[in-house]
Each structure stands twice: as structure tokens, then as C-alpha cells.
Amino acid sequence: MGYLIEHPDRVFELTKQHVELVAISVAFAMLIGIPVGVLITRLRWLEGPIIGTAGILYTVPSLALFAIMIPYTGLGRTTVVVALALYSLLAIVRNTVAGIDGVPPAALDAARGMGMTGRQRLFIIELPLALPVILAGVRIATVAAIGIATVAAVVGVGGLGRLIFDGMRTLNTDRILAGAIVSSLLALLADWGLAWLGGYLRRDIALARLER
Amino acid sequence: MITLEGVSKVFTSHGQQVCAVDDVSFDVAEGELVVLIGPSGSGKTTTMRMINRLETISSGRIMVNGRDLRSLDVVELRRGIGYVIQQGGLFPHFTVADNVSVVPRLLGWSGDRRRQRAHELLDLVGLPPDRFADRYPRQLSGGQQQRVGVARALAADPPIILMDEPFGAVDPITRKQLQRELRRIQAAVQKTIVFVTHDIGEAFLLGDRIVLMSDGRVVQDATPADLLRHPADPFVTAFIGEDRGVRSLQFTLLGEIAEPGPADTRANGVALPGSLTIIEAARELGKRGPGAGAGFWISDEEDQPTGYLSYQRFAAVLGDTIAGDHTAEHASEGTDGIPH
């Protein structure tokens, strides 16, 4: 714990970088993953190929993925963000599909029968009801990305992995611990925060949409 | 109000063509409650779902107020038709009041107007708004959820309402209660209703007319009384079941069984209106106690005597009706084609 107390500014700076990396990556993954998940529920034959590809990507070791990508995306943020986003896709796509599949068919039938358009059904019924499941996917993706992002330090983008790699090089356990503890705390915080958000949002989003 | 002309529905299932609805025609007049009934797979639900275009029509046509359904915008059509389904279909993330207000919101009503309408309707269906408006569907019993479903269908005051086995999933006692309430509500709002059920008792209780379907075809389209008295074929007889005689007590009117009276005037006899059903007449006679004479007079709306029934004859009709003889003259008692 010594390092944490002696260099709070440095730890804070690296934590900020870490959060930024993860946030940007997961945001990209959501931007792509949720629409792709919705698309799968409309065009079912896409499910096998897309989930399969995302699954294979997920099994590639992170260090190897960084190494593979460096020739194309360079030593830097782009590589890390693309890699983390790719890892996050699987959980987000899969949970989006599962969430929409879990919407009660009777509610959807009633929505159609009452004259909601396809878009209204998606935004008022399907996505709000699927939201807790989608957010569960985002949580899984975020928690995993916070861990994987520590490896990103090898590409030279900072983050809490910096402390761990520096600690390994200088045999400074204090630094390794500081990096590990803060990154674990981050993961817990993200997990808890996203869970809270899920319960809070869904009705308000749906009602706001209904009046448009 | 609604006219079906030679409507058919063909599904393609595993490369095979299945005819779910086959050349169905019937009318629903304004303010009329028509029950579509039949065993599972008879096409009754599919027929109803073609009226709000949840199913496409394969051939034939459906007219609403003289306009072909296909010429209307599907979304607008549906917003103008109330829709109630078996499992309620309430939105679990909306409160009761928000559920009731879905169509008014889609139609762009103001918040005040929506709230007022929702409260009015919750009162109508017997759910005091101050207790129920802010609850979520999961906090309600099945019967209460169905009441919300009915309120939701009435919200934008549509002239037509489609009900797909709305009380099918609730317990028998609640179902009876909901059926009675629907009668009360229908008397108040006078909607044009198409009601799908497989419960023959429900059909007799609620229907102004009953359209009995089997294998995608209309077997008989008649008033409840005619269905009991003149079942078209053994399938109808079997579908109505053994209670046919008892049921017809509720539909046979005194005026229909009256006989010419004896020569003397109505002097001191009891007189009952011809519009009473047999069962109402029996109840009335029981209340009054024995009258003088061997029978009673039957009168029209102006209180003029139109016929006479001796107690002996009345008792005989009562007995025959319960036994089914009075109504059975047109039916052979075959047991072929029993549903289920």
C-alpha cells in the first residue's frame, strides 16, 4: 500500500487513463454490439456466424491480439481501443439477443395490436424490457475490459498496467499491488454502478419514447 | 360495421399449405357482441386477428364501415380498434395507469386528459384508481390484470373491440365475475365487439350472436336462442353439450310458448309479460304464490292479453325443455364430431 499513499497523484493519473480506455472501448462496443444484437433478432440466420466470430475473437489471448494488431493500428490507443471493443462485443451482442428474446410475446402482440409501429415496439417495449439483460452484458464486458486493459500498458498507452509492468521490471511488489488493487476496485465499482443504472432507467426511457 | 366476405387464410408450414380459415363470411352490426367459438384449431382466433390485420388475408375481404381493410393504414386501423388478449399482454415496466394510457399517448393526448381518462376507466372496470393507478402489473392478480387489459382497450374510446379469450386464463369464480362485469360495461358503452372463446357457457352468457367454427369454416351463425333450438348439425349439438336444455330456459320466452286462452276473460288470473324467459317466469310465479285458476295470462307490452298457459302445460314445457325435447326437434342426437 505504500506506493498508493506516497504517489497518489501518479496513481490517480494512471487510473484516469485506465477508465478512459475502458469507457471509450465499451462505448464503441455498445454502439456496434446493441444494433447488431437487434439485427440478429430480426434476421435470425445471422446469429450463428456473428456470435461464432465474436466467440472466436474472445478466445484470442489479449497479448497476442495486441501483437497481431500493432502492424495495422500502430503502437498506441487505437490498438487498445479496437482490441478491448472486440473483446466486449461478445457479451453485449449475446445479451442484447437474449434480452429481446426474453420479452413476453403477449406484450409484443398487444403492442402490435394497439397500433405501435415496428420502431415504437423496439424502443418502447423491446429495448426497455431487455435493458437489464443488455446492461448485465455491458457489466461483464466492462469488468473484463478493466482487467484486460492492464495488459495494454505493453503498447505504451499508460493505465494501471503501467504500475504492474514497472513493478515487475523493478521487482517492486508495492507497485504491482497498487495497480492490481485499484484495478479491482474499479471493476467492482463499475459492476455496482451499472447494476444500479439498469433498474433506474428502463421505465423512464420507455415513457419518454411513447410520447414522441 | 364489420363485414367478412369469403375470407380465407392459408399458411405455409414446412412447405405445406394449411388452410386455417376457409371461406368465412359474417357480419357484425354496430353495438353487437358476436362470439366466435369453436374447438382449438378451428380458425376462430385467426379470423379475429385478420380484422385488425395481425394476420394478412389470403383471399376474400373484410369491410369496416364500408371500407376495405386493405385500403386503410394498418397502424391507424389498429389504434382505432381495442384489443384484449388472454395473457393480458400488459407492459410489465409500465404502471397500471401508464398501461391504460398507451393508445392515448400514441394519439398525442395531453397529460391531464390521459390521467382523467385512465382514472375514469379504472373506475369503470372496478379498480379504484387511488389504489391501483400506480401499481405495476406484477402486483396484480390475474383477474385484475385482465380488468386493466379491458380498460386499456377502451382507453381511446374505439368503436370496435377485439377480445381473444380474455378470461381464459383466470379461475372460474373470477371468470364468472369478469363476464358479468363485461355485460355491465357493454350495456354502458355499447361497443361493437368480436369475442373469441372456446367456453360455450361464456358464449351464451355474452353473445348477441354466436358464430360456431370448425376446421376453418363457419358451422352455424345464429342467436344463442336459435343455436339452442335449431342446431344446424350433430357437431353443433355435441359442441353445445348436455346442458342445452337447461341453457335454453334462459332464452325461450313466454310469448313463444303461449297458447290461445280459454273463452272467458282474464277475470282474476295472474298475468305475466311475454318477454319473460321461462326461467324468469318460474321465478316470478314462485314469488307470487299460487293464483286463482288453473293457469296464467301472458300479456304484451301494452298489457293486453296475448295468450294463456295452464300451470300443467307450463310445467310440461319446463320439463321437456330441461330434458332437451322441446328444442331437439331439428337435431339428431348423433355423437359424431364431438369437439376435443
Side-chain angles (χ1 to χ4, degrees), chain A residues 157-172:
Chain A
V157 293
L160 291 166
R162 190 80 262 148
L163 288 180
I164 297 172
F165 279 100
D166 286 354
M168 278 160 69
R169 210 175 44 237
T170 57
L171 295 176
N172 183 337

Side-chain angles (χ1 to χ4, degrees), chain A residues 17 25 55 68-69 103 112 116 160 162 165 177 197 206:
Chain A
Q17 289 172 359
S25 311
I68 294 166
M69 283 173 54
V103 172
R112 268 184 84 202
M116 283 194 191
L160 291 166
R162 190 80 262 148
F165 279 100
L177 266 181
L197 198 67

Side-chain angles (χ1 to χ4, degrees), chain A residues 109 112 115 120 124 203 211, chain B residues 78-79 83 93 98 105:
Chain A
D109 186 50
R112 268 184 84 202
Q120 284 169 334
I124 297 167
R203 172 168 170 262
E211 275 170 66
Chain B
R78 288 176 186 159
R79 286 179 190 175
Y83 184 49
H93 54 317
D98 288 332
R105 271 183 198 261

Side-chain angles (χ1 to χ4, degrees), chain B residues 27-39:
Chain B
D27 297 308
V28 187
E30 191 167 346
E32 193 178 29
L33 194 156
V34 169
V35 173
L36 289 179
I37 191 167

Side-chain angles (χ1 to χ4, degrees), chain B residues 88-147:
Chain B
L90 299 182
F91 303 148
H93 54 317
F94 284 14
T95 62
V96 165
D98 288 332
N99 263 291
V100 173
S101 303
V102 167
V103 177
R105 271 183 198 261
L106 289 171
L107 296 172
W109 291 18
S110 73
D112 279 349
R113 190 170 162 214
R114 284 197 316 253
R115 201 164 316 115
Q116 196 192 339
R117 180 67 179 156
H119 281 214
E120 194 180 300
L121 284 165
L122 288 175
D123 269 329
L124 180 72
V125 299
L127 298 174
D130 50 327
R131 279 176 52 210
F132 287 94
D134 296 327
R135 291 200 198 174
Y136 284 88
R138 63 173 177 278
Q139 299 169 302
L140 305 183
S141 69
Q144 289 167 338
Q145 291 189 20
Q146 285 310 103
R147 286 167 195 260

